[in-house]
Amino acid sequence: MSTAEETAGGEAQPWSEVTPDAARRLLLAAVEAFAERGYHATTTRDIAGRAGMSPAALYIHYKTKEELLHRISRIGHEKAVEILRTAARAEGGPTERLADAVSSFVRWHAGGRTTARVVQYELDSLGPEARAEIVGLRRQVDAEVRGIIEEGVRSGEFDVDDVPGTTLAVLSLCIDVARWFNVHGPRTPEQVGALYADLVLRMVGAREAAPAQR
């Protein structure tokens, strides 16, 4: 499945933020190349070739290969923050909102696994300034999940002694889906999302953990 065809929660990944069309084509090609070969093993010639363009054309839209990775990573992390913030600020109690946050986050990592692998596992390939920006976005991701868990502990819905550690465990569980999920496997992104939501509710000692979809 190509990056252009991936889904996140049933929705297409259009990268509509990226214009003009040539810049978008190059970004899509970079995502596929970075996911397949890794950032350091990918050349600008590889990316341009996948996009059906000349290497010189790439530099019209992106000054460096790192600029491409930075833009992919920034857009991906902004989407991650949006997904979790929407769930965190929805109606309902902590149990319902944590389940929604986990389910949505897992669906994004499963449905858009090629993009998610680049977004989540190429952070160290960025230079200091770009890396600092992405680390800031990761802190926002952490804060959204941690906030739901903290609220659940205060209300008595969750039984968690180490909120920061549990938050890290929850996010690690969700993110790792991008590494192993197989579109030809036995479960859909929606089913994996429901399963992980149930597992996380059990992890935090929620009073009622909804059964996972089979």
Side-chain angles (χ1 to χ4, degrees), residues 149-200:
I149 296 175
E150 287 174 341
E151 184 179 342
V153 171
R154 287 195 300 269
S155 69
E157 289 186 40
F158 300 160
D159 181 13
V160 177
D161 293 327
D162 183 349
V163 172
T166 301
T167 301
L168 177 61
V170 169
L171 290 173
S172 297
L173 193 68
C174 296
I175 289 168
D176 194 55
V177 170
R179 183 184 58 79
W180 62 260
F181 184 80
N182 185 340
V183 68
H184 301 298
R187 295 180 190 269
T188 65
E190 291 73 22
Q191 289 171 327
V192 177
L195 172 63
Y196 274 45
D198 179 68
L199 292 173
V200 166

Tab-separated table of all heavy atoms in Angstrom, residues 149-200:
chain	number	residue	atom	x	y	z
A	149	ILE	N	-5.306	10.730	32.356
A	149	ILE	CA	-5.011	9.772	33.429
A	149	ILE	C	-5.042	10.457	34.783
A	149	ILE	O	-5.601	9.922	35.762
A	149	ILE	CB	-3.648	9.097	33.180
A	149	ILE	CG1	-3.696	8.266	31.890
A	149	ILE	CG2	-3.272	8.203	34.372
A	149	ILE	CD1	-2.367	7.656	31.498
A	150	GLU	N	-4.468	11.647	34.879
A	150	GLU	CA	-4.486	12.394	36.142
A	150	GLU	C	-5.912	12.684	36.580
A	150	GLU	O	-6.244	12.558	37.775
A	150	GLU	CB	-3.709	13.703	35.978
A	150	GLU	CG	-2.202	13.513	35.906
A	150	GLU	CD	-1.472	14.801	35.596
A	150	GLU	OE1	-2.117	15.748	35.088
A	150	GLU	OE2	-0.255	14.864	35.857
A	151	GLU	N	-6.764	13.052	35.637
A	151	GLU	CA	-8.160	13.325	35.984
A	151	GLU	C	-8.847	12.061	36.486
A	151	GLU	O	-9.634	12.098	37.439
A	151	GLU	CB	-8.899	13.880	34.766
A	151	GLU	CG	-10.332	14.286	35.063
A	151	GLU	CD	-11.048	14.850	33.849
A	151	GLU	OE1	-10.361	15.251	32.885
A	151	GLU	OE2	-12.294	14.877	33.873
A	152	GLY	N	-8.537	10.936	35.841
A	152	GLY	CA	-9.123	9.671	36.278
A	152	GLY	C	-8.680	9.270	37.669
A	152	GLY	O	-9.466	8.708	38.454
A	153	VAL	N	-7.428	9.554	38.001
A	153	VAL	CA	-6.928	9.256	39.346
A	153	VAL	C	-7.637	10.144	40.368
A	153	VAL	O	-8.072	9.670	41.430
A	153	VAL	CB	-5.396	9.469	39.409
A	153	VAL	CG1	-4.902	9.371	40.851
A	153	VAL	CG2	-4.679	8.442	38.539
A	154	ARG	N	-7.769	11.426	40.053
A	154	ARG	CA	-8.435	12.349	40.986
A	154	ARG	C	-9.886	11.964	41.224
A	154	ARG	O	-10.394	12.096	42.336
A	154	ARG	CB	-8.370	13.786	40.442
A	154	ARG	CG	-6.988	14.426	40.518
A	154	ARG	CD	-7.086	15.934	40.315
A	154	ARG	NE	-7.670	16.273	39.013
A	154	ARG	CZ	-6.970	16.468	37.902
A	154	ARG	NH1	-5.648	16.330	37.922
A	154	ARG	NH2	-7.569	16.794	36.776
A	155	SER	N	-10.564	11.500	40.178
A	155	SER	CA	-11.981	11.156	40.316
A	155	SER	C	-12.195	9.777	40.917
A	155	SER	O	-13.328	9.415	41.250
A	155	SER	CB	-12.658	11.212	38.940
A	155	SER	OG	-12.191	10.150	38.111
A	156	GLY	N	-11.125	9.015	41.054
A	156	GLY	CA	-11.246	7.671	41.601
A	156	GLY	C	-11.563	6.611	40.563
A	156	GLY	O	-11.744	5.436	40.911
A	157	GLU	N	-11.614	7.000	39.284
A	157	GLU	CA	-11.895	6.020	38.231
A	157	GLU	C	-10.686	5.150	37.913
A	157	GLU	O	-10.829	4.012	37.488
A	157	GLU	CB	-12.359	6.729	36.952
A	157	GLU	CG	-13.747	7.327	37.039
A	157	GLU	CD	-14.216	7.899	35.712
A	157	GLU	OE1	-13.947	7.269	34.663
A	157	GLU	OE2	-14.850	8.972	35.717
A	158	PHE	N	-9.474	5.703	38.096
A	158	PHE	CA	-8.246	4.977	37.784
A	158	PHE	C	-7.438	4.737	39.054
A	158	PHE	O	-7.474	5.545	39.992
A	158	PHE	CB	-7.372	5.754	36.795
A	158	PHE	CG	-8.010	6.048	35.463
A	158	PHE	CD1	-7.521	7.076	34.659
A	158	PHE	CD2	-9.091	5.316	34.990
A	158	PHE	CE1	-8.091	7.361	33.428
A	158	PHE	CE2	-9.682	5.600	33.762
A	158	PHE	CZ	-9.175	6.630	32.981
A	159	ASP	N	-6.693	3.665	39.060
A	159	ASP	CA	-5.792	3.336	40.171
A	159	ASP	C	-4.373	3.280	39.609
A	159	ASP	O	-3.926	2.239	39.119
A	159	ASP	CB	-6.195	1.990	40.783
A	159	ASP	CG	-5.315	1.606	41.963
A	159	ASP	OD1	-4.567	2.481	42.449
A	159	ASP	OD2	-5.352	0.432	42.377
A	160	VAL	N	-3.683	4.417	39.637
A	160	VAL	CA	-2.347	4.532	39.047
A	160	VAL	C	-1.413	5.201	40.049
A	160	VAL	O	-1.682	6.309	40.509
A	160	VAL	CB	-2.390	5.380	37.749
A	160	VAL	CG1	-0.980	5.564	37.185
A	160	VAL	CG2	-3.290	4.715	36.718
A	161	ASP	N	-0.319	4.540	40.388
A	161	ASP	CA	0.657	5.106	41.312
A	161	ASP	C	1.656	6.023	40.595
A	161	ASP	O	2.080	7.036	41.152
A	161	ASP	CB	1.430	3.983	42.024
A	161	ASP	CG	0.540	3.183	42.965
A	161	ASP	OD1	-0.386	3.777	43.548
A	161	ASP	OD2	0.768	1.963	43.113
A	162	ASP	N	2.057	5.653	39.390
A	162	ASP	CA	3.073	6.395	38.644
A	162	ASP	C	2.453	6.898	37.340
A	162	ASP	O	2.470	6.206	36.323
A	162	ASP	CB	4.267	5.474	38.354
A	162	ASP	CG	5.415	6.181	37.637
A	162	ASP	OD1	5.225	7.326	37.182
A	162	ASP	OD2	6.500	5.582	37.512
A	163	VAL	N	1.899	8.106	37.375
A	163	VAL	CA	1.216	8.643	36.191
A	163	VAL	C	2.185	8.901	35.035
A	163	VAL	O	1.896	8.506	33.900
A	163	VAL	CB	0.426	9.920	36.544
A	163	VAL	CG1	-0.110	10.584	35.280
A	163	VAL	CG2	-0.725	9.569	37.482
A	164	PRO	N	3.343	9.544	35.256
A	164	PRO	CA	4.258	9.744	34.134
A	164	PRO	C	4.716	8.443	33.493
A	164	PRO	O	4.772	8.325	32.262
A	164	PRO	CB	5.431	10.502	34.770
A	164	PRO	CG	4.845	11.177	35.957
A	164	PRO	CD	3.826	10.213	36.483
A	165	GLY	N	5.062	7.451	34.317
A	165	GLY	CA	5.505	6.167	33.786
A	165	GLY	C	4.404	5.445	33.035
A	165	GLY	O	4.643	4.829	31.989
A	166	THR	N	3.193	5.525	33.561
A	166	THR	CA	2.061	4.880	32.890
A	166	THR	C	1.744	5.572	31.576
A	166	THR	O	1.430	4.917	30.580
A	166	THR	CB	0.826	4.895	33.809
A	166	THR	OG1	1.141	4.200	35.025
A	166	THR	CG2	-0.362	4.213	33.141
A	167	THR	N	1.845	6.892	31.557
A	167	THR	CA	1.630	7.643	30.314
A	167	THR	C	2.628	7.208	29.248
A	167	THR	O	2.272	6.981	28.089
A	167	THR	CB	1.761	9.156	30.565
A	167	THR	OG1	0.802	9.565	31.540
A	167	THR	CG2	1.544	9.934	29.278
A	168	LEU	N	3.881	7.081	29.640
A	168	LEU	CA	4.917	6.623	28.714
A	168	LEU	C	4.605	5.230	28.187
A	168	LEU	O	4.757	4.959	26.987
A	168	LEU	CB	6.279	6.633	29.409
A	168	LEU	CG	7.469	6.112	28.591
A	168	LEU	CD1	7.680	6.963	27.345
A	168	LEU	CD2	8.732	6.107	29.460
A	169	ALA	N	4.153	4.349	29.065
A	169	ALA	CA	3.826	2.976	28.652
A	169	ALA	C	2.660	2.969	27.664
A	169	ALA	O	2.679	2.231	26.672
A	169	ALA	CB	3.489	2.138	29.884
A	170	VAL	N	1.654	3.786	27.925
A	170	VAL	CA	0.484	3.855	27.035
A	170	VAL	C	0.898	4.347	25.652
A	170	VAL	O	0.535	3.749	24.623
A	170	VAL	CB	-0.597	4.777	27.636
A	170	VAL	CG1	-1.694	5.060	26.604
A	170	VAL	CG2	-1.201	4.152	28.891
A	171	LEU	N	1.669	5.419	25.612
A	171	LEU	CA	2.077	5.971	24.321
A	171	LEU	C	3.001	5.005	23.575
A	171	LEU	O	2.883	4.854	22.355
A	171	LEU	CB	2.776	7.315	24.530
A	171	LEU	CG	1.861	8.455	24.976
A	171	LEU	CD1	2.667	9.696	25.332
A	171	LEU	CD2	0.844	8.787	23.890
A	172	SER	N	3.899	4.352	24.286
A	172	SER	CA	4.795	3.385	23.644
A	172	SER	C	4.006	2.244	23.027
A	172	SER	O	4.308	1.783	21.918
A	172	SER	CB	5.798	2.840	24.666
A	172	SER	OG	6.625	3.860	25.169
A	173	LEU	N	2.988	1.794	23.737
A	173	LEU	CA	2.141	0.711	23.236
A	173	LEU	C	1.459	1.119	21.933
A	173	LEU	O	1.448	0.363	20.956
A	173	LEU	CB	1.090	0.370	24.302
A	173	LEU	CG	0.282	-0.920	24.132
A	173	LEU	CD1	1.181	-2.133	24.312
A	173	LEU	CD2	-0.851	-0.959	25.159
A	174	CYS	N	0.920	2.315	21.911
A	174	CYS	CA	0.218	2.803	20.717
A	174	CYS	C	1.175	2.997	19.538
A	174	CYS	O	0.889	2.576	18.409
A	174	CYS	CB	-0.475	4.124	21.023
A	174	CYS	SG	-1.789	4.050	22.262
A	175	ILE	N	2.303	3.645	19.802
A	175	ILE	CA	3.253	3.972	18.738
A	175	ILE	C	3.821	2.723	18.091
A	175	ILE	O	4.039	2.677	16.867
A	175	ILE	CB	4.370	4.867	19.301
A	175	ILE	CG1	3.816	6.268	19.601
A	175	ILE	CG2	5.553	4.950	18.350
A	175	ILE	CD1	4.745	7.140	20.414
A	176	ASP	N	4.048	1.682	18.868
A	176	ASP	CA	4.680	0.468	18.339
A	176	ASP	C	3.813	-0.224	17.299
A	176	ASP	O	4.309	-1.039	16.515
A	176	ASP	CB	4.992	-0.500	19.483
A	176	ASP	CG	5.941	-1.601	19.061
A	176	ASP	OD1	7.041	-1.278	18.562
A	176	ASP	OD2	5.593	-2.788	19.203
A	177	VAL	N	2.527	0.092	17.268
A	177	VAL	CA	1.638	-0.501	16.259
A	177	VAL	C	2.150	-0.206	14.847
A	177	VAL	O	2.046	-1.053	13.949
A	177	VAL	CB	0.196	0.024	16.438
A	177	VAL	CG1	-0.693	-0.389	15.270
A	177	VAL	CG2	-0.388	-0.496	17.741
A	178	ALA	N	2.723	0.967	14.642
A	178	ALA	CA	3.232	1.333	13.312
A	178	ALA	C	4.346	0.405	12.861
A	178	ALA	O	4.561	0.219	11.663
A	178	ALA	CB	3.737	2.771	13.321
A	179	ARG	N	5.058	-0.196	13.812
A	179	ARG	CA	6.183	-1.066	13.475
A	179	ARG	C	5.728	-2.427	12.987
A	179	ARG	O	6.317	-3.009	12.074
A	179	ARG	CB	7.090	-1.225	14.701
A	179	ARG	CG	8.335	-2.046	14.465
A	179	ARG	CD	9.116	-2.239	15.756
A	179	ARG	NE	8.320	-2.871	16.788
A	179	ARG	CZ	8.074	-4.180	16.847
A	179	ARG	NH1	8.546	-4.986	15.908
A	179	ARG	NH2	7.349	-4.678	17.822
A	180	TRP	N	4.639	-2.976	13.586
A	180	TRP	CA	4.289	-4.364	13.282
A	180	TRP	C	2.986	-4.541	12.503
A	180	TRP	O	2.742	-5.616	11.937
A	180	TRP	CB	4.198	-5.198	14.561
A	180	TRP	CG	3.129	-4.749	15.532
A	180	TRP	CD1	3.299	-3.996	16.651
A	180	TRP	CD2	1.724	-5.032	15.469
A	180	TRP	NE1	2.100	-3.783	17.292
A	180	TRP	CE2	1.124	-4.419	16.593
A	180	TRP	CE3	0.917	-5.754	14.586
A	180	TRP	CZ2	-0.245	-4.488	16.849
A	180	TRP	CZ3	-0.459	-5.823	14.837
A	180	TRP	CH2	-1.016	-5.202	15.959
A	181	PHE	N	2.137	-3.524	12.442
A	181	PHE	CA	0.819	-3.729	11.832
A	181	PHE	C	0.943	-4.140	10.368
A	181	PHE	O	1.710	-3.565	9.604
A	181	PHE	CB	-0.044	-2.477	11.933
A	181	PHE	CG	-1.433	-2.683	11.410
A	181	PHE	CD1	-2.392	-3.302	12.171
A	181	PHE	CD2	-1.769	-2.285	10.121
A	181	PHE	CE1	-3.669	-3.521	11.678
A	181	PHE	CE2	-3.046	-2.497	9.616
A	181	PHE	CZ	-3.997	-3.127	10.400
A	182	ASN	N	0.152	-5.142	9.995
A	182	ASN	CA	0.151	-5.671	8.628
A	182	ASN	C	-1.268	-5.599	8.082
A	182	ASN	O	-2.198	-6.142	8.675
A	182	ASN	CB	0.633	-7.134	8.639
A	182	ASN	CG	0.781	-7.716	7.240
A	182	ASN	OD1	0.220	-7.217	6.270
A	182	ASN	ND2	1.529	-8.798	7.131
A	183	VAL	N	-1.418	-4.916	6.960
A	183	VAL	CA	-2.749	-4.756	6.373
A	183	VAL	C	-3.365	-6.099	5.999
A	183	VAL	O	-4.590	-6.229	5.907
A	183	VAL	CB	-2.679	-3.826	5.140
A	183	VAL	CG1	-1.921	-4.477	3.998
A	183	VAL	CG2	-4.066	-3.395	4.699
A	184	HIS	N	-2.535	-7.120	5.805
A	184	HIS	CA	-3.037	-8.446	5.464
A	184	HIS	C	-3.210	-9.335	6.696
A	184	HIS	O	-3.492	-10.522	6.576
A	184	HIS	CB	-2.092	-9.130	4.475
A	184	HIS	CG	-1.901	-8.361	3.203
A	184	HIS	ND1	-2.941	-8.091	2.333
A	184	HIS	CD2	-0.801	-7.769	2.670
A	184	HIS	CE1	-2.487	-7.381	1.311
A	184	HIS	NE2	-1.194	-7.176	1.495
A	185	GLY	N	-3.027	-8.769	7.869
A	185	GLY	CA	-3.153	-9.517	9.107
A	185	GLY	C	-4.603	-9.769	9.492
A	185	GLY	O	-5.537	-9.351	8.790
A	186	PRO	N	-4.812	-10.408	10.638
A	186	PRO	CA	-6.166	-10.815	11.034
A	186	PRO	C	-7.043	-9.701	11.584
A	186	PRO	O	-8.252	-9.872	11.722
A	186	PRO	CB	-5.908	-11.873	12.109
A	186	PRO	CG	-4.592	-11.473	12.709
A	186	PRO	CD	-3.792	-10.921	11.562
A	187	ARG	N	-6.471	-8.545	11.916
A	187	ARG	CA	-7.256	-7.474	12.519
A	187	ARG	C	-7.175	-6.187	11.698
A	187	ARG	O	-6.145	-5.884	11.105
A	187	ARG	CB	-6.775	-7.176	13.950
A	187	ARG	CG	-6.970	-8.323	14.936
A	187	ARG	CD	-6.461	-7.909	16.309
A	187	ARG	NE	-6.414	-9.026	17.236
A	187	ARG	CZ	-7.414	-9.361	18.049
A	187	ARG	NH1	-8.528	-8.670	18.046
A	187	ARG	NH2	-7.286	-10.393	18.870
A	188	THR	N	-8.245	-5.448	11.697
A	188	THR	CA	-8.289	-4.143	11.046
A	188	THR	C	-7.741	-3.093	12.013
A	188	THR	O	-7.634	-3.345	13.224
A	188	THR	CB	-9.724	-3.761	10.683
A	188	THR	OG1	-10.478	-3.591	11.909
A	188	THR	CG2	-10.385	-4.827	9.815
A	189	PRO	N	-7.416	-1.882	11.523
A	189	PRO	CA	-7.000	-0.815	12.440
A	189	PRO	C	-8.047	-0.537	13.517
A	189	PRO	O	-7.692	-0.281	14.678
A	189	PRO	CB	-6.826	0.389	11.508
A	189	PRO	CG	-6.421	-0.209	10.207
A	189	PRO	CD	-7.244	-1.469	10.106
A	190	GLU	N	-9.308	-0.617	13.156
A	190	GLU	CA	-10.376	-0.375	14.131
A	190	GLU	C	-10.384	-1.450	15.219
A	190	GLU	O	-10.591	-1.144	16.402
A	190	GLU	CB	-11.728	-0.337	13.424
A	190	GLU	CG	-11.948	0.862	12.519
A	190	GLU	CD	-11.142	0.799	11.217
A	190	GLU	OE1	-10.744	-0.327	10.812
A	190	GLU	OE2	-10.909	1.864	10.622
A	191	GLN	N	-10.165	-2.689	14.844
A	191	GLN	CA	-10.149	-3.772	15.824
A	191	GLN	C	-8.944	-3.685	16.751
A	191	GLN	O	-9.059	-3.918	17.957
A	191	GLN	CB	-10.175	-5.120	15.103
A	191	GLN	CG	-11.511	-5.423	14.451
A	191	GLN	CD	-11.468	-6.669	13.561
A	191	GLN	OE1	-10.445	-6.958	12.940
A	191	GLN	NE2	-12.565	-7.398	13.511
A	192	VAL	N	-7.798	-3.325	16.185
A	192	VAL	CA	-6.611	-3.157	17.028
A	192	VAL	C	-6.815	-1.975	17.974
A	192	VAL	O	-6.447	-2.040	19.153
A	192	VAL	CB	-5.347	-2.944	16.167
A	192	VAL	CG1	-4.139	-2.687	17.060
A	192	VAL	CG2	-5.089	-4.155	15.284
A	193	GLY	N	-7.428	-0.911	17.481
A	193	GLY	CA	-7.704	0.237	18.327
A	193	GLY	C	-8.598	-0.121	19.504
A	193	GLY	O	-8.349	0.294	20.640
A	194	ALA	N	-9.634	-0.913	19.236
A	194	ALA	CA	-10.549	-1.323	20.302
A	194	ALA	C	-9.846	-2.244	21.303
A	194	ALA	O	-10.045	-2.126	22.520
A	194	ALA	CB	-11.758	-2.032	19.695
A	195	LEU	N	-9.023	-3.147	20.809
A	195	LEU	CA	-8.278	-4.052	21.683
A	195	LEU	C	-7.337	-3.273	22.595
A	195	LEU	O	-7.289	-3.498	23.808
A	195	LEU	CB	-7.480	-5.044	20.833
A	195	LEU	CG	-6.491	-5.938	21.608
A	195	LEU	CD1	-7.235	-6.837	22.586
A	195	LEU	CD2	-5.651	-6.762	20.638
A	196	TYR	N	-6.596	-2.331	22.022
A	196	TYR	CA	-5.634	-1.569	22.813
A	196	TYR	C	-6.327	-0.657	23.816
A	196	TYR	O	-5.812	-0.429	24.907
A	196	TYR	CB	-4.717	-0.764	21.886
A	196	TYR	CG	-3.514	-1.549	21.404
A	196	TYR	CD1	-3.651	-2.861	20.948
A	196	TYR	CD2	-2.248	-0.988	21.394
A	196	TYR	CE1	-2.557	-3.581	20.502
A	196	TYR	CE2	-1.144	-1.708	20.951
A	196	TYR	CZ	-1.303	-2.995	20.505
A	196	TYR	OH	-0.224	-3.712	20.068
A	197	ALA	N	-7.481	-0.122	23.438
A	197	ALA	CA	-8.235	0.705	24.378
A	197	ALA	C	-8.617	-0.117	25.605
A	197	ALA	O	-8.494	0.338	26.750
A	197	ALA	CB	-9.485	1.268	23.706
A	198	ASP	N	-9.046	-1.345	25.373
A	198	ASP	CA	-9.408	-2.233	26.477
A	198	ASP	C	-8.185	-2.559	27.337
A	198	ASP	O	-8.242	-2.536	28.571
A	198	ASP	CB	-10.014	-3.520	25.914
A	198	ASP	CG	-10.394	-4.510	27.014
A	198	ASP	OD1	-11.339	-4.206	27.767
A	198	ASP	OD2	-9.736	-5.561	27.122
A	199	LEU	N	-7.057	-2.836	26.694
A	199	LEU	CA	-5.834	-3.158	27.435
A	199	LEU	C	-5.380	-1.986	28.298
A	199	LEU	O	-4.962	-2.171	29.449
A	199	LEU	CB	-4.723	-3.543	26.450
A	199	LEU	CG	-4.906	-4.858	25.689
A	199	LEU	CD1	-3.819	-5.008	24.628
A	199	LEU	CD2	-4.882	-6.047	26.645
A	200	VAL	N	-5.457	-0.782	27.748
A	200	VAL	CA	-5.016	0.392	28.496
A	200	VAL	C	-5.946	0.665	29.674
A	200	VAL	O	-5.482	1.031	30.768
A	200	VAL	CB	-4.915	1.617	27.562
A	200	VAL	CG1	-4.784	2.913	28.371
A	200	VAL	CG2	-3.732	1.466	26.622
